[in-house]
Amino acid sequence: MILIEKIYRRGHEALTSVDQIEKFQTNDGYITSNQVLAREIGADHENCFYKNSAGKRQKVVATKDKAGWHLQTKGVTDPQADEILQLPHMENVWG
């Protein structure tokens, strides 16, 4: 199981969509790109979670379309309202 702990985004503008997330830090300390993580989840159906603001685990799922892979919270279809955006956000930090 993978637990997402932090998101990374280059620049200072606010994130408004989960598709703008560039990288994630996982609970094992690895920093992996949005697309790589999405491919891994989509290909292997591996469980991936993050803790929401209430401290509950939410499942992350991956979908693929013509534009590539996309991550989203299970049951959420609006990329602007996805709780993944509420994860601790680290600016300009690259591992």
Side-chain angles (χ1 to χ4, degrees):
M1 181 185 76
I2 300 171
L3 184 66
I4 297 171
E5 293 193 334
K6 293 175 182 159
I7 60 175
Y8 290 76
R9 169 79 172 147
R10 187 179 289 135
H12 298 288
E13 69 278 10
L15 283 167
T16 57
S17 168
V18 292
D19 288 336
Q20 292 176 310
I21 296 170
E22 294 181 10
K23 296 189 178 190
F24 291 96
Q25 181 175 324
T26 56
N27 59 323
D28 53 9
Y30 286 101
I31 298 172
T32 187
S33 80
N34 191 344
Q35 294 298 312
V36 168
L37 185 61
R39 272 199 310 273
E40 289 177 352
I41 297 169
D44 301 334
H45 303 290
E46 186 173 357
N47 288 331
C48 183
F49 299 88
Y50 66 92
K51 285 187 181 176
N52 66 11
S53 56
K56 299 194 179 209
R57 286 192 317 186
Q58 297 290 315
K59 188 168 187 181
V60 177
V61 295
T63 57
K64 186 178 183 184
D65 61 18
K66 292 178 183 174
W69 287 95
H70 305 279
L71 291 173
Q72 64 186 49
T73 302
K74 187 172 185 178
V76 175
T77 56
D78 181 1
Q80 282 80 31
D82 201 303
E83 285 189 2
I84 294 178
L85 294 175
Q86 308 309 314
L87 285 168
H89 179 201
M90 300 184 74
E91 299 274 9
N92 297 317
V93 180
W94 300 93

